[in-house]
Amino acid sequence: MSQVIGLLGTCLVLGVLARRSGKFPEGSAGPFNTFVLYVALPALVLRVMHRLEFVPSLLVAAVVPWLYYLAAGPFFRWLGPRLGLSKASIAALVLTGGLGNTAFVGLPMAEALLGSEGLAVAVVVDQLGSFLVLSTLATLAAARASAEVALPLGALARKVATFPPFVALVLALLLRPVGYPVWVDSVLERLGALLTPLALFSVGLQLRLSGVKARLPALSLGLLYKLVLVPGVVMLGLWALPGLSPMVVQATVLQAAMAPMVSAAILAAEHRLDPELAVLMVGVGIPLSFVTAPLMLWVVR
């Protein structure tokens, strides 16, 4: 856990310091965002989804991220206008509030708090849940929300089908019967490993905590949904299902309690969907989740 917190905190702070140094002009985060979405994330998807071993008994754990992402749309579209939020801000909340950081925070936290058995469940939540939602529904929602005019279904489908992480997902699944050469696996591993440091560095470049006060209503709504309501409802729902092992319940709730996904904030920024709010959701949400997520795990136990 200390290594995870150290890496995330260091990359975030380095981004903030880089912005304050004056060496990075306004808009410098753009190239980093592009690299994350078009190179690092596809490389990670190609490697991870190719190696995934799915256990049918963990279907419930895989479905949970899809459900709370789908619930995020009605939730924020209902309450957002009551806070005077624009459509772009609501879309940013749907993306960041509806997707959790189940990989780079969730997996190490699950291993630290639940051991290898909990980690196995957390991997399924991340790869068949969050990864797939990001590559499909979230990409579709971002394209639709950023379009100045209503896009026909065919155009939206093309945007999703040509989005590099989605292409990588399809290729990874098609290539599952074929083993990667060692050098290909090594290249994909090294490129994928760049995702977290570069994404958080980019978030730090864009993070302005001085803007928290002005964005407090929207930020509070988004973090209340992601850090409190989602894990709380997931907890109650899993308790109501018969036959689930305690470890499946605990690991799924822990993953549901993760902070907003860094890649979701990058996706929002790439589509000009209130990047400031999306970045604040990540920059404030990740430190908070180091307290709230273990607390949720303590409650479910």
PDB file of all heavy atoms in Angstrom, residues 57 115 151 169 207 216 221 233 242 251 257 262 273 296:
ATOM      1  N   SER A  57     -17.945 -18.367 -12.030  1.00  0.00           N
ATOM      2  CA  SER A  57     -18.549 -18.067 -10.731  1.00  0.00           C
ATOM      3  C   SER A  57     -18.344 -16.612 -10.316  1.00  0.00           C
ATOM      4  O   SER A  57     -18.994 -16.129  -9.382  1.00  0.00           O
ATOM      5  CB  SER A  57     -17.970 -18.998  -9.655  1.00  0.00           C
ATOM      6  OG  SER A  57     -16.568 -18.803  -9.525  1.00  0.00           O
ATOM      7  N   GLY A 115      -5.266 -10.222   0.282  1.00  0.00           N
ATOM      8  CA  GLY A 115      -4.403 -11.322  -0.114  1.00  0.00           C
ATOM      9  C   GLY A 115      -4.652 -11.783  -1.535  1.00  0.00           C
ATOM     10  O   GLY A 115      -5.400 -11.168  -2.298  1.00  0.00           O
ATOM     11  N   LEU A 151     -25.029  13.059 -33.356  1.00  0.00           N
ATOM     12  CA  LEU A 151     -24.383  12.169 -34.318  1.00  0.00           C
ATOM     13  C   LEU A 151     -25.279  10.965 -34.590  1.00  0.00           C
ATOM     14  O   LEU A 151     -25.880  10.410 -33.662  1.00  0.00           O
ATOM     15  CB  LEU A 151     -23.048  11.683 -33.758  1.00  0.00           C
ATOM     16  CG  LEU A 151     -21.938  12.723 -33.603  1.00  0.00           C
ATOM     17  CD1 LEU A 151     -20.716  12.078 -32.960  1.00  0.00           C
ATOM     18  CD2 LEU A 151     -21.570  13.322 -34.945  1.00  0.00           C
ATOM     19  N   LEU A 169      -8.653  -4.077 -27.458  1.00  0.00           N
ATOM     20  CA  LEU A 169      -9.482  -5.075 -26.778  1.00  0.00           C
ATOM     21  C   LEU A 169      -9.910  -6.179 -27.742  1.00  0.00           C
ATOM     22  O   LEU A 169      -9.800  -7.377 -27.432  1.00  0.00           O
ATOM     23  CB  LEU A 169     -10.714  -4.388 -26.176  1.00  0.00           C
ATOM     24  CG  LEU A 169     -11.789  -5.293 -25.587  1.00  0.00           C
ATOM     25  CD1 LEU A 169     -11.248  -6.057 -24.392  1.00  0.00           C
ATOM     26  CD2 LEU A 169     -13.015  -4.477 -25.192  1.00  0.00           C
ATOM     27  N   LEU A 207      -4.160  20.104 -12.587  1.00  0.00           N
ATOM     28  CA  LEU A 207      -4.819  20.240 -11.290  1.00  0.00           C
ATOM     29  C   LEU A 207      -4.572  21.618 -10.693  1.00  0.00           C
ATOM     30  O   LEU A 207      -3.439  22.046 -10.511  1.00  0.00           O
ATOM     31  CB  LEU A 207      -4.299  19.160 -10.336  1.00  0.00           C
ATOM     32  CG  LEU A 207      -4.944  19.096  -8.956  1.00  0.00           C
ATOM     33  CD1 LEU A 207      -6.428  18.773  -9.067  1.00  0.00           C
ATOM     34  CD2 LEU A 207      -4.239  18.068  -8.092  1.00  0.00           C
ATOM     35  N   LEU A 216     -17.016  23.132  -5.778  1.00  0.00           N
ATOM     36  CA  LEU A 216     -17.326  22.264  -4.657  1.00  0.00           C
ATOM     37  C   LEU A 216     -18.666  21.532  -4.779  1.00  0.00           C
ATOM     38  O   LEU A 216     -18.737  20.338  -4.476  1.00  0.00           O
ATOM     39  CB  LEU A 216     -17.266  23.051  -3.343  1.00  0.00           C
ATOM     40  CG  LEU A 216     -17.235  22.214  -2.060  1.00  0.00           C
ATOM     41  CD1 LEU A 216     -16.051  21.262  -2.075  1.00  0.00           C
ATOM     42  CD2 LEU A 216     -17.163  23.131  -0.841  1.00  0.00           C
ATOM     43  N   LEU A 221     -20.838  16.249  -5.240  1.00  0.00           N
ATOM     44  CA  LEU A 221     -21.829  15.330  -5.795  1.00  0.00           C
ATOM     45  C   LEU A 221     -21.142  14.121  -6.424  1.00  0.00           C
ATOM     46  O   LEU A 221     -21.537  12.969  -6.199  1.00  0.00           O
ATOM     47  CB  LEU A 221     -22.693  16.051  -6.830  1.00  0.00           C
ATOM     48  CG  LEU A 221     -23.757  15.201  -7.540  1.00  0.00           C
ATOM     49  CD1 LEU A 221     -24.801  14.720  -6.546  1.00  0.00           C
ATOM     50  CD2 LEU A 221     -24.406  15.993  -8.679  1.00  0.00           C
ATOM     51  N   VAL A 233     -24.403   0.892  -1.978  1.00  0.00           N
ATOM     52  CA  VAL A 233     -25.458   0.160  -2.673  1.00  0.00           C
ATOM     53  C   VAL A 233     -24.966  -1.215  -3.122  1.00  0.00           C
ATOM     54  O   VAL A 233     -25.700  -2.209  -3.036  1.00  0.00           O
ATOM     55  CB  VAL A 233     -25.975   0.982  -3.877  1.00  0.00           C
ATOM     56  CG1 VAL A 233     -26.927   0.153  -4.732  1.00  0.00           C
ATOM     57  CG2 VAL A 233     -26.677   2.254  -3.398  1.00  0.00           C
ATOM     58  N   PRO A 242     -27.904 -14.651  -2.530  1.00  0.00           N
ATOM     59  CA  PRO A 242     -27.493 -15.850  -1.786  1.00  0.00           C
ATOM     60  C   PRO A 242     -26.313 -16.557  -2.457  1.00  0.00           C
ATOM     61  O   PRO A 242     -26.117 -16.473  -3.662  1.00  0.00           O
ATOM     62  CB  PRO A 242     -28.753 -16.738  -1.851  1.00  0.00           C
ATOM     63  CG  PRO A 242     -29.420 -16.333  -3.138  1.00  0.00           C
ATOM     64  CD  PRO A 242     -29.138 -14.865  -3.309  1.00  0.00           C
ATOM     65  N   ALA A 251     -14.083  -8.227  -1.914  1.00  0.00           N
ATOM     66  CA  ALA A 251     -13.250  -7.701  -3.002  1.00  0.00           C
ATOM     67  C   ALA A 251     -14.071  -6.835  -3.959  1.00  0.00           C
ATOM     68  O   ALA A 251     -13.585  -5.812  -4.448  1.00  0.00           O
ATOM     69  CB  ALA A 251     -12.601  -8.850  -3.762  1.00  0.00           C
ATOM     70  N   ALA A 257     -15.445   0.807  -4.264  1.00  0.00           N
ATOM     71  CA  ALA A 257     -15.127   1.990  -3.464  1.00  0.00           C
ATOM     72  C   ALA A 257     -13.919   2.767  -3.981  1.00  0.00           C
ATOM     73  O   ALA A 257     -13.542   3.781  -3.378  1.00  0.00           O
ATOM     74  CB  ALA A 257     -14.870   1.556  -2.016  1.00  0.00           C
ATOM     75  N   VAL A 262      -8.371   7.343 -13.498  1.00  0.00           N
ATOM     76  CA  VAL A 262      -7.534   8.361 -14.125  1.00  0.00           C
ATOM     77  C   VAL A 262      -7.780   8.403 -15.635  1.00  0.00           C
ATOM     78  O   VAL A 262      -7.895   9.485 -16.228  1.00  0.00           O
ATOM     79  CB  VAL A 262      -6.046   8.089 -13.830  1.00  0.00           C
ATOM     80  CG1 VAL A 262      -5.175   9.150 -14.495  1.00  0.00           C
ATOM     81  CG2 VAL A 262      -5.787   8.075 -12.341  1.00  0.00           C
ATOM     82  N   LEU A 273     -14.690  17.782 -22.155  1.00  0.00           N
ATOM     83  CA  LEU A 273     -15.850  17.676 -21.267  1.00  0.00           C
ATOM     84  C   LEU A 273     -15.439  18.121 -19.857  1.00  0.00           C
ATOM     85  O   LEU A 273     -15.104  17.315 -19.002  1.00  0.00           O
ATOM     86  CB  LEU A 273     -16.375  16.238 -21.258  1.00  0.00           C
ATOM     87  CG  LEU A 273     -16.875  15.704 -22.607  1.00  0.00           C
ATOM     88  CD1 LEU A 273     -17.177  14.224 -22.522  1.00  0.00           C
ATOM     89  CD2 LEU A 273     -18.095  16.490 -23.076  1.00  0.00           C
ATOM     90  N   MET A 296     -14.961   1.163   3.953  1.00  0.00           N
ATOM     91  CA  MET A 296     -16.038   0.372   3.359  1.00  0.00           C
ATOM     92  C   MET A 296     -15.760  -1.122   3.534  1.00  0.00           C
ATOM     93  O   MET A 296     -16.678  -1.908   3.789  1.00  0.00           O
ATOM     94  CB  MET A 296     -16.199   0.725   1.891  1.00  0.00           C
ATOM     95  CG  MET A 296     -16.842   2.073   1.635  1.00  0.00           C
ATOM     96  SD  MET A 296     -18.567   2.092   2.178  1.00  0.00           S
ATOM     97  CE  MET A 296     -18.971   3.827   1.894  1.00  0.00           C
TER      98      MET A 296
END
